[in-house]
Amino acid sequence: MDGSGVRGLRLKLGLTQVQFAKRLGVSASLIGDVESGRRNVSANLRVRIALECGAGEDVIETLARAKASSKLVF
């Protein structure tokens, strides 16, 4: 998962960066930095996102691979 994946999930949930950060228990600046590519998505953040979105990390990785291969349209 990269920053665009984080942004896509956040937008799908209909949340601002501040709201998403609060739900994940991280700072809004972290979310902004990840979405803009200034910081990588850490393993810890991946787990927090997976738990918040109700999906396991394996599901998120599968979606990321599918998006990268252009087999799914988001």
Side-chain angles (χ1 to χ4, degrees), residues 1-22 24 26-42 45 49 53 67:
M1 175 185 297
D2 61 6
S4 63
V6 171
R7 183 174 188 270
L9 286 171
R10 176 180 63 78
L11 293 174
K12 181 175 174 132
L13 294 171
L15 300 173
T16 66
Q17 287 182 346
V18 172
Q19 293 167 327
F20 194 48
K22 187 173 184 175
L24 296 175
V26 299
S27 70
S29 63
L30 171 64
I31 298 300
D33 286 349
V34 166
E35 288 185 6
S36 68
R38 288 187 297 268
R39 292 182 69 173
N40 292 325
V41 182
S42 68
L45 184 58
I49 291 170
C53 295
K67 181 180 174 189

